[in-house]
């Protein structure tokens, strides 16, 4: 007679995920393989993520990769190996994408707010100061700023509101009359003829009026046709509604002459 091997057929009736071990003739025990749990007849995969987040940081995601195996990945807004995750301040890099003239505040792990600093206006992502400051920030308007500085004209640095029509830099640099006006001492009058006080006139406002008076005291005629606003019948607005804290800038393609 020979002993009956209870494990010989069909793994002894044990689970395919279990080991069948002979004990005494005709007897056996079923032991679940590593990574599985059960009575040996039924063995289920152990999901380590179901207990204590699989040993991952509370700010990490536990993902099962196999029987009793898992990986830990830090959640968005955190960095680390998953076992330990550290909060990343969105505002710590590049001011959180906010304007350089804005304050970035972290609100949640994946959120932040951008608020323009005092004396600036905008949505936080783009913030502007007064229109005198804004002239220098754009090449198209920077030459006009230099002419104002050279003549110590600071009218538009006040509280306003002002509407400013600025000839493009290339126009101011190429028009031969500019040197003549400077030589004759009338450049200040030319510059002030591009300023309108006590009014914050957006492009949409300019389409509905026909005349305004400049700080120089002379009228500026406004016409609107073919979707264009034209001043004094020759200067077209080519860039509009650069809004600052004390007014608005419109860029024009010709110099206005009183």
């Amino acid at each position: 007679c020979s002993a009956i091997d209870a494990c010989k057929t069909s793994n002894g009736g044990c689970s395919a995920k279990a080991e069948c071990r002979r004990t005494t003739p005709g007897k056996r025990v079923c032991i679940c393989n590593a990574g599985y749990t059960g009575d040996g007849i039924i063995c289920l995969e152990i999901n380590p993520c179901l207990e204590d987040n699989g040993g991952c940081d509370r700010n990490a995601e536990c993902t099962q990769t196999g029987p009793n195996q898992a990986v830990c990945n830090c959640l968005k807004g955190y960095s680390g190996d998953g076992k330990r995750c550290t909060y990343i301040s969105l505002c710590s890099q590049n001011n959180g994408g906010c304007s350089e003239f804005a304050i970035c505040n972290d609100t949640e792990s994946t959120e932040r707010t951008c608020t323009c600093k005092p004396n600036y206006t905008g949505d936080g992502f783009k913030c502007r100061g007064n229109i005198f400051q804004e002239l220098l920030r754009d090449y198209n308007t920077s030459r006009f700023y230099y002419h104002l500085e050279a003549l110590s004209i600071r009218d538009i640095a006040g509280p306003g509101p002002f509407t400013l029509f600025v000839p493009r830099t290339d126009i101011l640099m190429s028009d031969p009359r500019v040197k003549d006006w400077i030589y004759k001492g009338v450049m200040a009058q030319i510059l002030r003829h591009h300023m309108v006080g006590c009014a914050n006139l957006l492009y949409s406002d300019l389409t509905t009026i026909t005349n305004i008076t400049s700080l120089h005291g002379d009228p500026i005629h406004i016409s609107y046709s073919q979707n264009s606003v034209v001043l004094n019948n020759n200067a077209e607005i080519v860039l509009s509604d650069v809004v600052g804290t004390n007014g608005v800038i419109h860029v024009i393609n010709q110099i206005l002459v009183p």
Side-chain angles (χ1 to χ4, degrees):
C1 296
S2 60
I4 296 172
D5 184 351
C7 294
K8 187 175 182 180
T9 305
S10 300
N11 199 31
C14 301
S15 166
K17 304 298 183 182
E19 179 187 359
C20 180
R21 292 182 184 176
R22 293 170 58 190
T23 53
T24 57
K27 302 291 184 179
R28 56 90 177 102
V29 293
C30 300
I31 301 172
C32 291
N33 295 334
Y36 293 84
T37 184
D39 60 5
I41 305 299
I42 297 175
C43 295
L44 301 174
E45 255 188 29
I46 297 172
N47 183 352
C49 296
L50 297 179
E51 185 175 346
D52 195 30
N53 199 30
C56 303
D57 189 273
R58 65 187 183 91
N59 294 305
E61 180 182 21
C62 179
T63 304
Q64 184 183 5
T65 57
N68 204 26
Q69 295 178 336
V71 293
C72 304
N73 294 297
C74 294
L75 298 175
K76 184 178 179 182
Y78 293 83
S79 67
D81 60 5
K83 297 292 185 181
R84 183 176 181 181
C85 299
T86 306
Y87 174 64
I88 302 171
S89 169
L90 295 178
C91 296
S92 64
Q93 296 181 346
N94 195 31
N95 201 30
C98 303
S99 165
E100 61 180 310
F101 303 112
I103 298 169
C104 179
N105 285 307
D106 289 294
T107 54
E108 298 177 10
S109 61
T110 59
E111 299 293 336
R112 55 90 179 87
T113 60
C114 302
T115 307
C116 292
K117 294 177 180 178
N119 301 319
Y120 287 87
T121 185
D123 59 6
F125 297 98
K126 193 168 188 177
C127 299
R128 295 190 176 106
N130 65 47
I131 56 177
F132 187 71
Q133 294 171 308
E134 291 304 307
L135 287 174
L136 191 57
R137 293 178 62 190
D138 188 330
Y139 175 77
N140 278 324
T141 56
S142 59
R143 192 68 182 178
F144 193 87
Y145 172 89
Y146 290 131
H147 282 298
L148 294 177
E149 280 285 89
L151 295 168
S152 298
I153 298 174
R154 306 290 299 220
D155 305 58
I156 57 172
F162 300 100
T163 299
L164 190 59
F165 302 105
V166 181
R168 288 196 322 252
T169 287
D170 62 318
I171 301 297
L172 286 171
M173 294 181 69
S174 62
D175 194 319
R177 296 175 298 173
V178 172
K179 288 184 179 180
D180 188 48
W181 290 328
I182 294 173
Y183 176 76
K184 292 180 178 179
V186 298
M187 192 62 185
Q189 292 94 306
I190 296 293
L191 295 174
R192 286 195 172 95
H193 188 53
H194 292 78
M195 307 174 189
V196 177
C198 303
N200 187 44
L201 299 172
L202 299 175
Y203 191 88
S204 57
D205 301 318
L206 297 172
T207 64
T208 63
I209 56 180
T210 55
N211 285 285
I212 49 178
T213 302
S214 71
L215 288 186
H216 180 251
D218 287 325
I220 299 173
H221 175 69
I222 303 172
S223 58
Y224 178 70
S225 64
Q226 298 180 341
N227 296 321
S228 294
V229 170
V230 178
L231 310 178
N232 289 348
N233 298 317
N234 76 329
E236 181 182 351
I237 293 179
V238 293
L239 178 66
S240 63
D241 294 351
V242 179
V243 178
T245 56
N246 65 340
V248 59
I249 298 170
H250 304 287
V251 179
I252 56 179
N253 62 0
Q254 295 292 335
I255 299 173
L256 301 177
V257 181

